[in-house]
């Protein structure tokens, strides 16, 4: 999709920042585990000079314009057993999207990340091809993963977001109307983010009413397991970018 966007084959896409990182690595930082402290931290980051600078660098490399960021929700692990500590992740075969950002958390906790197309996940869980998956509560509900998983473990390991990105070809054709499109997408993103936050506040109780075990998790041991990887030489950002992100106040 990102390639089609640059070529003008599609006008706009709605994609994870982890995949934008294929063009400009540092912009994927917010999709990595525990780089964001909360939804409020994420909002402050999206409004920050740091994000503005990285968006500009992404545009230079790809030609594409990030119109807006939409909050997608905090990602949690679903499974057929309680996941209360990193030890409970050991050996777990967990479906993840096919991007390094999503594979870090399983690797840090001893699980086996298994990339798989999103459309295949329900059947793979039902048939035991994978043991677990991770997604925000609204997505778990919409895709009915709770029908084939007995436990939702509130790991909140990634504060997930999607970028609305517009092709330079499209903006070039639109002329002055291009800014109106960008403004409309930003308005839609803000509205959607508010709806996701409201949905998250209600869904834990909804899942419990369906008979699903929703487990409150002490996130500190999970954060400790991931922490060394966030400042290693393997991540696609500099220590300066990481420090600036952590310095942003909610």
């Amino acid at each position: 999709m990102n390639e089609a966007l640059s070529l003008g084959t599609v006008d706009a896409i709605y994609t994870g920042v982890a995949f934008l990182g294929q063009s400009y690595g540092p912009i994927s930082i917010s999709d990595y585990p525990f780089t964001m402290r909360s939804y409020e931290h994420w909002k402050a980051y999206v409004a920050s000079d740091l994000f503005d600078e990285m968006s500009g660098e992404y545009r230079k490399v790809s030609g594409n314009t990030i119109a807006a960021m939409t909050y997608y929700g905090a990602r949690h692990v679903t499974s057929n057993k309680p996941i209360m500590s990193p030890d409970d992740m050991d050996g777990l075969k967990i479906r993840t999207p096919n991007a390094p950002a999503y594979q870090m958390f399983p690797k840090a906790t001893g699980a086996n990340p298994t990339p798989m197309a999103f459309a295949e996940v329900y059947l793979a869980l039902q048939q035991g091809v994978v043991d677990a998956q991770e997604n925000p509560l609204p997505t778990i509900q919409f895709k009915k993963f709770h029908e084939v998983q007995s436990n939702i473990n509130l790991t909140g390991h990634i504060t997930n977001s999607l970028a609305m990105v517009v092709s330079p070809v499209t903006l070039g054709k639109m002329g002055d109307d291009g800014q109106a499109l960008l403004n409309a997408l930003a308005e839609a993103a803000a509205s959607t983010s508010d709806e996701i936050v409201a949905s998250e506040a209600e869904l834990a109780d909804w899942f419990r009413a369906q008979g699903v075990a929703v487990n409150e998790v002490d996130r500190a041991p999970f954060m400790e397991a991931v922490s060394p990887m966030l400042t290693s030489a393997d991540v696609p950002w500099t220590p300066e970018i990481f420090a600036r992100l952590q310095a942003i106040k909610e």
Side-chain angles (χ1 to χ4, degrees):
M1 286 197 301
N2 285 279
E3 187 176 330
L5 191 73
S6 300
L7 295 172
T9 309
V10 295
D11 297 312
I13 63 171
Y14 192 49
T15 189
V17 290
F19 299 101
L20 299 185
Q22 295 170 354
S23 298
Y24 175 64
I27 204 163
S28 65
I29 191 169
S30 64
D31 254 6
Y32 277 78
F34 302 119
T35 54
M36 295 285 151
R37 294 186 295 274
S38 63
Y39 171 62
E40 289 74 22
H41 184 209
W42 175 84
K43 277 206 306 185
Y45 160 67
V46 170
S48 72
D49 291 342
L50 175 61
F51 182 73
D52 191 54
E53 290 167 21
M54 290 202 293
S55 297
E57 291 300 318
Y58 167 76
R59 185 169 59 251
K60 286 180 187 177
V61 171
S62 68
N64 306 323
T65 296
I66 299 174
M69 293 284 283
T70 302
Y71 178 62
Y72 187 59
R75 295 180 82 95
H76 307 290
V77 174
T78 71
S79 59
N80 286 319
K81 66 174 186 177
I83 304 291
M84 305 303 292
S85 74
D87 289 343
D88 296 325
M89 294 282 289
D90 190 45
L92 200 71
K93 194 171 184 181
I94 180 170
R95 180 270 171 182
T96 66
N98 190 20
Y102 298 107
Q103 294 165 10
M104 180 183 282
F105 178 73
K107 288 178 179 177
T109 54
N112 298 318
T114 306
M116 180 183 295
F118 194 42
E120 298 172 10
V121 178
Y122 184 98
L123 194 59
L125 292 169
Q126 189 177 51
Q127 295 180 344
V129 176
V130 291
D131 305 312
Q133 68 85 45
E134 47 84 60
N135 261 296
L137 295 179
T139 305
I140 294 167
Q141 182 193 44
F142 180 71
K143 297 298 289 185
K144 303 185 187 302
F145 293 145
H146 62 287
E147 294 180 350
V148 289
Q149 298 266 265
S150 61
N151 284 252
I152 298 173
N153 310 284
L154 300 179
T155 50
H157 52 280
I158 293 175
T159 302
N160 211 189
S161 51
L162 296 172
M164 291 180 170
V165 193
V166 182
S167 168
V169 177
T170 301
L171 288 178
K173 290 177 181 175
M174 293 186 72
D176 293 342
D177 289 335
Q179 188 58 50
L181 171 63
L182 297 180
N183 292 344
L185 291 175
E187 185 177 337
S191 176
T192 301
S193 297
D194 289 342
E195 288 189 29
I196 292 291
V197 171
S199 178
E200 285 186 306
E202 301 171 351
L203 277 175
D205 287 339
W206 184 88
F207 283 118
R208 290 187 177 109
Q210 312 308 305
V212 180
V214 181
N215 304 313
E216 300 286 346
V217 175
D218 179 3
R219 297 166 69 235
F222 293 94
M223 296 170 75
E224 289 170 14
V226 169
S227 182
M229 302 180 79
L230 296 176
T231 53
S232 73
D234 297 328
V235 294
W237 56 80
T238 63
E240 180 200 7
I241 286 175
F242 185 75
R244 287 180 66 189
L245 175 60
Q246 297 310 307
I248 293 172
K249 305 296 184 185
E250 289 93 322

